[in-house]
Amino acid sequence: MKECFRWYGPDDGVSLHYIRQAGAEEVFTALHEIPYGKIWPLEEILKRKSLIEKEGLEWSVVESLPVHEDIKTRTGNFKEFIQSYRKSLVNLGKAGLKTVVYNFMPVLDWVRTDLKYTLEDGAECLKFDPVRFAMFETYLLKRKNVESDYTLGQLKQAERSWLGMSASDKKEFERSIIDIFPGVKLGLDIKDIQKMMSKYEEICVSQYKEHLKEFLSEIVPCAEDNGIKMAIHPDDPPISILGLPRIVSTDKDLEDVLGMYESPSNGLCFCTGSLSPLPQNDLIRMVRKYGHRINAVHLRSTQRDKDGSFYEAKHLEGSVDMFGVVLSLLQEQLCRSRENLQDWQLCFRPDHGHTIMDDLVKPDAENPGYSGIGRMRGLAELRGLQFGLSHVLTREAT
Ligand code: DNO
C-alpha cells in the first residue's frame, strides 16, 4: 500500500517538507479554504497539485470534497450545490485526481469529548465519552428528549461533571465539540447547530438513506465519466448522536451504501478507527467482504471501555487487530494485481496520532489529532508491519 499523510494545506504546521521526512510518498488533502458547496476551480486545484509535486510528493486522495448540509437534507439550494459538486468532480478529473473522500454525517463531522486525554506515558490523545456527550447535549445544546438516549446513571454523572466545571472550561468544551471541522474553523455556535439540526426533524434513518441514494445517483455517473472513485467515510463514532440518523456505521450500512449504486466509483474510505468503537464491526470480515470497493484507507486503533467510551490507542494496539487488517488489505491488493487492475495499489494514511514529545509543548494544534510526531510514529509502525507482511506474502506466492 502507498504510504500517505494528511496535509491541511499551506497553513498546516506540519509542512510538506516534514511529511516527506516522515517517509510518506503521497498526501491526502483538500482545498479547505473553499467554502462548503462552492466549485473548486481547476486553476486552484492545479496550483495546489504543483505545490505538492515541487516537494517531491503526490496528491493521491482528495480528502474531503464536503457535502453541503442542503444536499444531505435535500432542502434549500441543494440542486445548485449538486451541480457545483459535479463541476468540482469534473475539474478534479481534469487535474488527474482519481480518489475523492466525502462523508454523509449529519450536522457535525467526527466528534470527541476530550481533545487532550492524557495517557499513562504522558501522551495526549482524543477520547469520546458518552457521559461528557450527554453533558453537552443536556446543558449546552439543550436537546429535546435527550433523556431517552442515556441511562439515569449517565445523566446523573453528566450533571455532577457539569456542576464541577468553570465557565471557561464550559466554553472550551463547547468549542471542542462544535468547531472541529477538518481543516477549517466554521465559527459555528450552539444556535447554528440547533438550526442545522432542526432541518433533520422529519428525516428518519430510512429517509436519510434515500437521500444518500439520490445523491449517489446524481454524482457517481459524473465521477465515472471523469475517472474518479468516490470513497465514503464512515460515521465517527459509529453511533447515532444528537438524536440524528447516522447511516454509515455498521456492516449492514456498508452493504446498503455499496448496493445503492453498483459501480467501482461508489466505494469506501475504510477507516478502522471510525468503525472500531462498535465491537460487532468485524473489520477483517469487512475487508474480505468489501475489499474490491475500498478506494482509500485510514489506519488507526481505538481502545474501547465497558462504559461505552473509547480513546485513540497507539496504531498497533487497542481494540483493532491491525495485523489482521493490514494482512487482509495486502491480500486484497494481491487479488487486484492478479486481475491486472491498473489501480491495484491502495493508499493508506495513519489516521490521527498521539501528541507526544516536542509537540506537547507547541501551541495548541489547529487540527486535533494531527500533530506531526505522533502520526510519524504511527506511519513508521504501520510501515514496519506492512514491510514484514508483504515480504512473507511475496515469498509464499513464489
Ligand atoms: C477525521 C477525519 C474525518 C474525515 C472526513 C471525511 O480525522 O478522518 O474528518 O476527513 O469525515 O469526509
Side-chain angles (χ1 to χ4, degrees), residues 6 63-64 101-103 105 109-110 182 233 298 349 351-352 370:
R6 189 174 203 170
E63 181 174 356
S64 301
V101 174
Y102 69 105
N103 74 74
M105 288 180 251
D109 197 287
W110 61 285
H233 188 280
H298 289 176
R349 67 173 179 84
D351 192 23
H352 305 180
Y370 287 91

Side-chain angles (χ1 to χ4, degrees), residues 67 79 243 332:
V67 180
K79 288 196 178 137
E332 166 58 28

Side-chain angles (χ1 to χ4, degrees), residues 231-278:
I232 194 166
H233 188 280
D235 305 323
D236 183 4
I239 47 169
S240 161
I241 56 161
L242 307 171
L244 299 179
R246 300 264 261 185
I247 55 170
V248 195
S249 295
T250 63
D251 185 60
K252 173 77 173 71
D253 289 340
L254 300 188
E255 189 176 310
D256 288 350
V257 172
L258 296 178
M260 284 175 192
Y261 201 105
E262 288 295 343
S263 160
S265 286
N266 173 28
L268 304 174
C269 170
F270 192 71
C271 177
T272 56
S274 300
L275 292 164
S276 63
L278 266 194

